[in-house]
């Protein structure tokens, strides 16, 4: 599923991080950023730190009527 999605960012809970680390590199080829909700390890980014760096203002993403809102696998 991960390989098929070609996701560039993978967001996981701290509880699942160990499991994610067992995914073969080939399946993780498209993932450029691993974000962890909870305590992140050496090559992951903390979700809390990302949120703290964010702006209080939220601009809407320009989308089209054909843009998917979510991907149901």
């Amino acid at each position: 599923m991960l390989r098929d999605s070609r996701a560039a960012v993978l967001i996981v809970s701290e509880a699942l991080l160990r499991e994610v680390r067992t995914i073969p590199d080939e399946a993780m080829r498209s993932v450029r950023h691993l974000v962890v909700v909870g305590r992140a390890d050496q090559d992951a980014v903390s979700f809390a730190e990302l949120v703290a760096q964010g702006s209080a203002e939220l601009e809407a993403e320009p989308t089209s009527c054909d843009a998917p809102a979510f991907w149901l696998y």
Side-chain angles (χ1 to χ4, degrees), residues 27-53:
M28 297 282 283
R29 193 174 18 199
S30 65
V31 176
R32 288 187 239 127
H33 305 283
L34 178 60
V35 179
V36 181
V37 179
R39 193 171 25 143
D41 62 12
Q42 70 277 2
D43 36 316
V45 177
S46 165
F47 181 79
E49 289 178 19
L50 287 177
V51 171
Q53 294 171 12

